[in-house]
Amino acid sequence: MTITQLRYIVALDQFKSFAKAAEHCLVAQPTLSLQVQKVEQELGFDLFDRKKNPIVTTKLGKEVVEQAKHTLREADKLFEIAGLWKDEAAGNLSIGVIPTVSNYLVPTIYKNLQSDLAKVNFRISELPTLTIIEKLESEEIDLGILATPLKIPNIIEVPLYYEPFVVYYPKNAKEKSNTVSMKHLEQYPLLVLGEEHCFRHQSLKICNRSSLAKIESGSVETLRRMVDLGIGVTLLPKLAIDKNSDRIVPFDSPEPAREISLVYKKGFYKNKILKKLSELILSKIPKEFHKKDKYKIIGVSLNQD
């Protein structure tokens, strides 16, 4: 059996659907189905129960899938070793990015990923914090880019930068000033993201607010539009908005901020790619956000994400 066939097996176990697994692997569904059947014929038993919907991995299949994951990790290390000799980053890398970072960071670095790390096959997914952690633990993704500290024993955190929270006001707001305190915000309903977003809970920690606007959103852009309609105010990550906007106001010093980090599971070995990716991200982030000295870091509450 081949490395490609093992990737198909792992994908089918993950997605429980031939169509979704084929889409993930960038092949036609009949091709993936045929290759999985060839492995089953070679082994002499079924890896998947196709009568179930969604597809179920058999007991023996689960053991094969776990070994396939191990084999694929070892195969990827060969690319890493080759890269060391060639002094280049190479191999596969899957990254999960929280939405409130992805919306500005991914468009900023994407073209450079294609050029500066041309030998790396990237797959980037926009995911909430808990899903990223789960996928890191199950080794479905290699890296996460999210708010920290998480304080999870098996997860390594590499802080990249520190991003202040700012207040986004409606047009013609009366109490706007050069900086904002909690008292300034009390007269406005607070618009926040949905429960699955750690940014929501960090916002509530900052504002110490129990009363909220009657609508919650899944995206920062929707929050902005609701504020534009005069429904309330919201907190936004500073890098996600136009720095010249007259609608945003920073908090009083020390400014509340979130720590954004690269995170990975212990045993991660793609260190050359990690170094290059870290350098690329930091090259796109203003230097004023590289140090946390002047900020009050707002932690992440995983039990609420």
Coordinates of all heavy atoms in Angstrom, one line a residue, residues 201-252:
H201 N -16.0 36.0 25.4 CA -15.7 35.9 26.9 C -14.7 36.8 27.4 O -14.7 37.4 28.5 CB -15.4 34.4 27.2 CG -16.5 33.5 26.8 ND1 -17.8 33.4 27.4 CD2 -16.5 32.6 25.8 CE1 -18.5 32.6 26.8 NE2 -17.8 32.0 25.8
Q202 N -13.7 37.1 26.5 CA -12.7 38.1 26.9 C -13.3 39.5 26.9 O -13.0 40.3 27.8 CB -11.6 38.1 25.8 CG -10.7 36.8 25.9 CD -9.7 36.8 24.8 OE1 -10.0 36.9 23.7 NE2 -8.4 36.5 25.2
S203 N -14.3 39.8 26.0 CA -15.0 41.1 26.0 C -15.8 41.2 27.2 O -15.8 42.3 27.8 CB -15.9 41.1 24.7 OG -15.2 41.1 23.5
L204 N -16.4 40.2 27.7 CA -17.3 40.2 28.9 C -16.4 40.4 30.1 O -16.8 41.1 31.1 CB -18.1 39.0 29.0 CG -19.2 38.8 27.9 CD1 -20.0 37.5 28.2 CD2 -20.1 40.0 27.9
K205 N -15.2 39.8 30.1 CA -14.3 40.0 31.2 C -13.9 41.5 31.3 O -13.8 42.1 32.4 CB -13.0 39.2 31.1 CG -13.2 37.7 31.4 CD -11.9 37.0 31.2 CE -12.0 35.5 31.5 NZ -10.7 34.8 31.3
I206 N -13.6 42.1 30.2 CA -13.1 43.5 30.1 C -14.2 44.4 30.6 O -14.0 45.3 31.4 CB -12.7 43.9 28.7 CG1 -11.5 43.1 28.3 CG2 -12.5 45.4 28.6 CD1 -11.1 43.2 26.8
C207 N -15.4 44.2 30.1 CA -16.5 45.1 30.4 C -17.3 44.8 31.7 O -18.1 45.6 32.2 CB -17.5 45.1 29.3 SG -16.8 45.8 27.7
N208 N -17.0 43.6 32.3 CA -17.7 43.1 33.5 C -19.2 43.4 33.3 O -19.9 43.9 34.2 CB -17.2 43.9 34.7 CG -17.7 43.3 36.0 OD1 -18.0 42.1 36.1 ND2 -17.7 44.1 37.1
R209 N -19.7 42.9 32.2 CA -21.1 43.2 31.8 C -21.9 41.9 31.8 O -21.6 40.9 31.3 CB -21.1 43.8 30.4 CG -22.4 44.2 29.8 CD -22.9 45.5 30.4 NE -22.0 46.6 29.8 CZ -22.4 47.3 28.7 NH1 -23.5 47.0 28.1 NH2 -21.6 48.2 28.3
S210 N -23.1 42.0 32.5 CA -24.0 40.9 32.4 C -25.2 41.1 31.5 O -25.8 40.2 30.9 CB -24.6 40.6 33.8 OG -25.2 41.8 34.3
S211 N -25.5 42.4 31.2 CA -26.6 42.8 30.3 C -26.0 43.0 28.9 O -25.1 43.8 28.7 CB -27.3 44.0 30.8 OG -26.4 45.1 30.8
L212 N -26.6 42.3 27.9 CA -26.1 42.4 26.6 C -27.2 42.8 25.6 O -28.4 42.7 26.0 CB -25.5 41.1 26.1 CG -24.4 40.5 27.0 CD1 -24.1 39.0 26.5 CD2 -23.2 41.3 26.9
A213 N -26.8 43.2 24.4 CA -27.8 43.4 23.3 C -28.5 42.1 23.1 O -28.0 41.0 23.3 CB -27.2 44.0 22.1
K214 N -29.7 42.1 22.5 CA -30.5 40.9 22.3 C -30.1 40.1 21.1 O -30.7 39.1 20.8 CB -32.0 41.3 22.2 CG -32.6 41.9 23.5 CD -34.1 42.2 23.3 CE -34.6 42.8 24.6 NZ -36.1 43.1 24.5
I215 N -29.0 40.5 20.4 CA -28.6 39.8 19.3 C -27.1 39.4 19.5 O -26.3 40.2 20.0 CB -28.8 40.5 18.0 CG1 -28.4 39.7 16.8 CG2 -28.1 41.9 18.0 CD1 -28.8 40.3 15.4
E216 N -26.7 38.2 19.1 CA -25.3 37.8 19.1 C -25.0 37.3 17.7 O -25.8 37.0 16.9 CB -25.1 36.6 20.1 CG -25.4 37.0 21.5 CD -25.2 35.8 22.5 OE1 -24.8 34.7 22.0 OE2 -25.4 36.0 23.7
S217 N -23.7 37.4 17.3 CA -23.3 37.2 16.0 C -22.2 36.2 15.9 O -21.5 35.9 16.9 CB -22.8 38.5 15.4 OG -22.2 38.3 14.1
G218 N -22.0 35.6 14.7 CA -20.9 34.7 14.5 C -19.7 35.3 13.8 O -18.7 34.7 13.6
S219 N -19.8 36.6 13.5 CA -18.6 37.3 12.8 C -18.5 38.7 13.3 O -19.4 39.4 13.6 CB -18.9 37.2 11.3 OG -19.8 38.2 10.9
V220 N -17.2 39.1 13.2 CA -16.9 40.5 13.6 C -17.5 41.5 12.6 O -18.0 42.6 13.0 CB -15.3 40.7 13.6 CG1 -15.0 42.2 13.6 CG2 -14.7 40.0 14.7
E221 N -17.6 41.1 11.3 CA -18.2 42.0 10.4 C -19.6 42.3 10.6 O -20.1 43.4 10.5 CB -18.0 41.5 8.9 CG -18.5 42.4 7.8 CD -17.8 43.7 7.8 OE1 -16.6 43.8 8.2 OE2 -18.5 44.7 7.4
T222 N -20.4 41.3 11.1 CA -21.8 41.5 11.4 C -21.9 42.4 12.6 O -22.8 43.3 12.7 CB -22.5 40.1 11.7 OG1 -22.3 39.3 10.6 CG2 -23.9 40.3 12.1
L223 N -21.0 42.3 13.6 CA -21.1 43.2 14.8 C -20.9 44.6 14.3 O -21.6 45.5 14.8 CB -20.0 42.8 15.8 CG -20.1 41.5 16.5 CD1 -18.9 41.3 17.5 CD2 -21.4 41.4 17.3
R224 N -19.9 44.8 13.4 CA -19.7 46.2 13.0 C -20.9 46.8 12.3 O -21.2 47.9 12.5 CB -18.5 46.2 12.0 CG -17.2 45.9 12.6 CD -16.0 45.8 11.6 NE -15.9 47.1 10.9 CZ -14.9 47.3 10.0 NH1 -14.1 46.3 9.7 NH2 -14.8 48.4 9.4
R225 N -21.5 46.0 11.5 CA -22.7 46.5 10.8 C -23.9 46.8 11.7 O -24.6 47.7 11.5 CB -23.2 45.4 9.7 CG -22.2 45.3 8.6 CD -22.7 44.4 7.5 NE -21.7 44.3 6.4 CZ -21.9 43.6 5.3 NH1 -23.1 43.1 5.1 NH2 -21.0 43.6 4.3
M226 N -24.0 46.0 12.8 CA -25.0 46.2 13.8 C -24.8 47.5 14.5 O -25.7 48.3 14.8 CB -25.1 45.1 14.8 CG -25.5 43.7 14.1 SD -27.1 43.8 13.2 CE -28.2 43.9 14.6
V227 N -23.5 47.8 14.8 CA -23.1 49.0 15.5 C -23.4 50.2 14.5 O -23.9 51.3 14.9 CB -21.6 49.0 15.9 CG1 -21.2 50.4 16.4 CG2 -21.4 48.0 17.0
D228 N -23.1 50.0 13.3 CA -23.4 51.1 12.3 C -24.9 51.5 12.2 O -25.2 52.6 11.9 CB -23.0 50.6 10.9 CG -21.5 50.5 10.7 OD1 -20.7 51.1 11.6 OD2 -21.0 49.9 9.8
L229 N -25.7 50.5 12.6 CA -27.2 50.8 12.6 C -27.6 51.5 13.9 O -28.8 51.8 14.1 CB -28.0 49.5 12.4 CG -27.9 48.8 11.1 CD1 -28.6 47.5 11.1 CD2 -28.5 49.7 10.0
G230 N -26.6 51.7 14.8 CA -26.9 52.4 16.1 C -27.5 51.5 17.2 O -28.1 52.0 18.2
I231 N -27.3 50.1 17.0 CA -27.9 49.2 18.0 C -27.1 49.2 19.3 O -27.6 48.9 20.4 CB -28.0 47.8 17.4 CG1 -29.1 47.9 16.3 CG2 -28.4 46.8 18.4 CD1 -29.2 46.6 15.4
G232 N -25.8 49.5 19.3 CA -25.0 49.4 20.5 C -23.5 49.6 20.1 O -23.2 50.2 19.1
V233 N -22.7 49.2 21.0 CA -21.2 49.2 20.8 C -20.7 47.8 20.8 O -21.3 46.9 21.3 CB -20.5 50.1 21.8 CG1 -20.9 51.5 21.8 CG2 -20.6 49.5 23.2
T234 N -19.5 47.6 20.3 CA -18.8 46.3 20.4 C -17.3 46.5 20.6 O -16.8 47.6 20.4 CB -19.1 45.5 19.2 OG1 -18.7 44.1 19.4 CG2 -18.4 46.0 17.9
L235 N -16.7 45.5 21.1 CA -15.2 45.5 21.2 C -14.7 44.7 20.0 O -15.3 43.7 19.5 CB -14.8 44.8 22.5 CG -15.2 45.3 23.8 CD1 -14.4 44.7 24.9 CD2 -15.2 46.8 23.8
L236 N -13.6 45.2 19.4 CA -13.0 44.6 18.2 C -11.5 44.4 18.4 O -10.9 45.2 19.2 CB -13.2 45.5 17.0 CG -14.7 45.7 16.5 CD1 -14.7 46.7 15.4 CD2 -15.3 44.4 16.1
P237 N -10.9 43.4 17.8 CA -9.4 43.4 17.8 C -8.9 44.5 16.9 O -9.3 44.7 15.8 CB -9.2 42.0 17.2 CG -10.4 41.6 16.4 CD -11.5 42.3 17.1
K238 N -7.9 45.1 17.4 CA -7.4 46.4 16.8 C -6.9 46.1 15.3 O -7.0 47.0 14.5 CB -6.3 47.0 17.6 CG -5.9 48.4 17.1 CD -5.0 49.1 18.1 CE -4.7 50.5 17.7 NZ -3.9 51.3 18.7
L239 N -6.3 45.0 15.1 CA -5.7 44.7 13.8 C -6.7 44.3 12.7 O -6.4 44.3 11.6 CB -4.7 43.6 13.9 CG -3.4 43.9 14.6 CD1 -2.5 42.7 14.9 CD2 -2.6 45.0 13.9
A240 N -8.0 44.1 13.2 CA -9.0 43.7 12.3 C -9.7 44.9 11.6 O -10.6 44.7 10.8 CB -10.1 42.9 13.0
I241 N -9.3 46.1 12.0 CA -10.1 47.3 11.5 C -9.1 48.3 11.0 O -7.9 48.3 11.2 CB -10.9 48.0 12.7 CG1 -10.0 48.2 13.9 CG2 -12.0 47.1 13.1 CD1 -10.7 48.8 15.0
D242 N -9.6 49.3 10.2 CA -8.8 50.4 9.6 C -8.3 51.3 10.8 O -9.1 51.8 11.5 CB -9.7 51.2 8.7 CG -9.0 52.3 8.0 OD1 -7.7 52.5 8.3 OD2 -9.6 53.0 7.2
K243 N -7.0 51.4 10.8 CA -6.4 52.1 11.9 C -6.7 53.6 11.9 O -6.6 54.4 12.8 CB -4.9 52.0 11.9 CG -4.2 52.5 10.7 CD -2.7 52.2 10.8 CE -2.0 52.8 9.5 NZ -0.5 52.5 9.6
N244 N -7.2 54.1 10.7 CA -7.5 55.5 10.6 C -9.0 55.8 10.8 O -9.5 56.9 10.7 CB -7.2 56.0 9.1 CG -5.7 55.9 8.9 OD1 -4.9 56.3 9.8 ND2 -5.3 55.5 7.7
S245 N -9.8 54.7 11.2 CA -11.2 54.9 11.5 C -11.4 55.8 12.6 O -10.8 55.7 13.7 CB -11.9 53.6 11.7 OG -13.2 53.7 12.1
D246 N -12.4 56.8 12.5 CA -12.7 57.7 13.6 C -13.8 57.1 14.5 O -14.3 57.7 15.4 CB -13.2 59.0 13.1 CG -14.4 58.9 12.2 OD1 -14.9 57.8 11.9 OD2 -14.9 60.0 11.8
R247 N -14.1 55.8 14.2 CA -15.2 55.1 15.0 C -14.7 54.3 16.1 O -15.4 53.7 16.9 CB -16.0 54.2 14.0 CG -16.5 54.9 12.8 CD -17.8 55.7 13.0 NE -18.8 54.8 13.5 CZ -19.5 54.0 12.7 NH1 -19.3 54.0 11.4 NH2 -20.5 53.3 13.1
I248 N -13.3 54.2 16.2 CA -12.7 53.3 17.2 C -12.0 54.2 18.3 O -11.5 55.2 18.0 CB -11.8 52.3 16.7 CG1 -10.6 53.0 15.9 CG2 -12.5 51.3 15.7 CD1 -9.5 52.1 15.5
V249 N -12.1 53.7 19.5 CA -11.4 54.4 20.6 C -10.7 53.4 21.5 O -11.3 52.4 21.8 CB -12.4 55.2 21.5 CG1 -11.7 55.9 22.6 CG2 -13.2 56.2 20.6
P250 N -9.4 53.6 21.8 CA -8.7 52.7 22.7 C -9.1 52.8 24.1 O -9.7 53.8 24.5 CB -7.2 53.1 22.5 CG -7.3 54.6 22.2 CD -8.6 54.7 21.4
F251 N -8.8 51.8 24.9 CA -9.1 51.9 26.4 C -8.1 52.7 27.1 O -7.0 52.9 26.6 CB -9.2 50.4 26.9 CG -10.5 49.7 26.7 CD1 -10.6 48.9 25.6 CD2 -11.5 49.8 27.6 CE1 -11.8 48.2 25.3 CE2 -12.7 49.2 27.4 CZ -12.9 48.4 26.2
D252 N -8.5 53.1 28.3 CA -7.5 53.7 29.2 C -6.3 52.8 29.5 O -6.5 51.6 29.4 CB -8.1 54.1 30.6 CG -9.2 55.2 30.4 OD1 -9.2 55.9 29.4 OD2 -10.1 55.2 31.3

